[in-house]
């Protein structure tokens, strides 16, 4: 079956622009997670959605970052007024009810010029 | 605060060798410990995972050893092959009150040489 799909796979933008990243989870997965992976580092948790519950935004690094999810479908991560330190790979994961295991997409590689 | 510490940062072994990657955690409430494998340009893929009620789990050539009292766990790769060359991440999560979000180690770059 189809895995987690993320788009675009690569995004290059100028500092100060807004970007929107998209994640299509595996069908039937109720939980969706966003992580950030800086070059040569581990993954950092950003935000978590579970069904219709309020999202856990505790990992968002600043108010320039926001995310939405409609029901149990697509999610978008938005970064406003991008800064060079936002350059990273943004990874999305989804999981079935119960929370584990998390299945990851291949990420969006974001480069801020 | 780094809650999951992973070592070594990089590792080179010969084909057929048994690389061992170690992780230590701080939060005793963690209750799920997966290992992920990541190839360049790809997302992490789950290899094997363990819960703290067992001390060892094997799946194919991959084994997790878990020491609850020491708050440590490790990944062993038996009969390693060049195709195992990748970056490996340990992680931990907290189900109750934690939403199952994963806290990752910093990764180990493994190279298996012929």
């Amino acid at each position: 079956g189809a895995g987690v799909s993320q788009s675009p796979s690569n995004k290059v933008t100028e500092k100060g622009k807004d970007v929107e990243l998209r994640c299509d989870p595996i069908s039937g997965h109720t939980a969706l997670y966003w992580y950030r992976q800086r070059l040569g580092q581990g993954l950092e948790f950003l935000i978590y959605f579970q069904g219709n519950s309020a999202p856990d935004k505790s990992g968002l690094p600043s108010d320039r970052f926001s995310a939405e999810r409609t029901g149990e479908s697509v999610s978008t991560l938005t970064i406003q007024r991008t800064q060079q330190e936002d350059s990273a790979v943004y990874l999305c994961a989804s999981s079935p009810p119960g929370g584990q295991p998390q299945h990851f997409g291949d990420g969006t590689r974001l480069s801020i010029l | 605060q780094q809650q999951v510490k992973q070592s070594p940062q990089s590792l080179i072994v010969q084909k057929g060798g048994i690389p061992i990657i170690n992780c230590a955690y701080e939060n005793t409430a963690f209750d799920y410990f997966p290992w992920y494998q990541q190839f360049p340009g790809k997302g992490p893929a789950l290899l094997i995972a363990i819960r703290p009620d067992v001390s060892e789990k094997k799946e194919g050539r991959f084994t997790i050893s878990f020491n609850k009292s020491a708050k440590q766990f490790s990944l062993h790769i038996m009969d390693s092959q060049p195709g195992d060359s990748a970056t490996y991440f340990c992680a931990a999560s907290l189900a109750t009150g934690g939403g199952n979000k994963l806290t990752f180690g910093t990764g180990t770059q493994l190279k298996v040489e012929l």
Side-chain angles (χ1 to χ4, degrees):
Chain A
V4 176
S5 177
Q6 292 188 245
S7 61
S9 55
N10 287 282
K11 177 73 176 177
V12 181
T13 193
E14 293 179 348
K15 176 182 171 181
K17 300 287 189 183
D18 296 352
V19 295
E20 190 172 277
L21 313 179
R22 177 186 170 105
C23 173
D24 281 277
I26 294 171
S27 178
H29 280 192
T30 56
L32 187 147
Y33 307 79
W34 285 98
Y35 294 86
R36 177 171 70 179
Q37 185 175 28
R38 290 196 164 118
L39 185 64
Q41 298 186 23
L43 285 70
E44 306 168 72
F45 166 78
L46 295 177
I47 188 169
Y48 156 65
F49 295 91
Q50 172 62 60
N52 294 317
S53 302
D56 177 349
K57 304 179 181 180
S58 60
L60 294 179
S62 77
D63 59 7
R64 296 187 295 105
F65 288 72
S66 63
E68 294 183 348
R69 186 185 188 196
T70 305
E72 295 181 357
S73 61
V74 170
S75 175
T76 56
L77 176 68
T78 302
I79 309 173
Q80 296 179 308
R81 304 181 303 281
T82 52
Q83 304 295 312
Q84 288 189 331
E85 64 262 28
D86 299 334
S87 296
V89 177
Y90 290 83
L91 289 154
C92 174
S94 67
S95 68
Q100 303 294 354
Q102 293 182 28
H103 298 265
F104 284 83
D106 287 337
T108 294
R109 183 175 299 276
L110 177 64
S111 299
I112 309 299
L113 301 179
Chain B
Q1 181 187 10
Q2 185 182 356
Q3 294 195 57
V4 179
K5 295 183 179 179
Q6 183 172 348
S7 63
Q9 186 174 3
S10 63
L11 187 55
I12 301 174
V13 300
Q14 297 298 307
K15 179 176 179 289
I18 306 175
I20 300 173
I21 305 170
N22 300 297
C23 283
Y25 62 96
E26 298 172 7
N27 188 342
T28 56
F30 283 144
D31 61 359
Y32 176 77
F33 302 88
W35 284 91
Y36 282 84
Q37 179 189 56
Q38 186 177 33
F39 292 104
K42 297 294 186 182
L46 179 68
L47 270 179
I48 186 172
I50 198 168
R51 294 198 182 268
D53 52 346
V54 298
S55 60
E56 186 176 277
K57 183 175 181 180
K58 292 183 180 180
E59 286 187 5
R61 295 185 295 109
F62 301 96
T63 299
I64 298 180
S65 297
F66 186 83
N67 186 329
K68 188 174 181 178
S69 61
K71 294 188 288 185
Q72 294 176 347
F73 58 110
S74 59
L75 176 70
H76 300 230
I77 306 175
M78 310 301 288
D79 187 28
S80 58
Q81 301 296 314
D84 296 329
S85 297
T87 300
Y88 293 80
F89 292 96
C90 62
S93 77
L94 176 61
T96 304
N100 294 295
K101 59 192 177 190
L102 291 168
T103 300
F104 282 84
T106 50
T108 296
Q109 283 194 311
L110 173 65
K111 183 175 182 181
V112 181
E113 295 182 333
L114 288 169

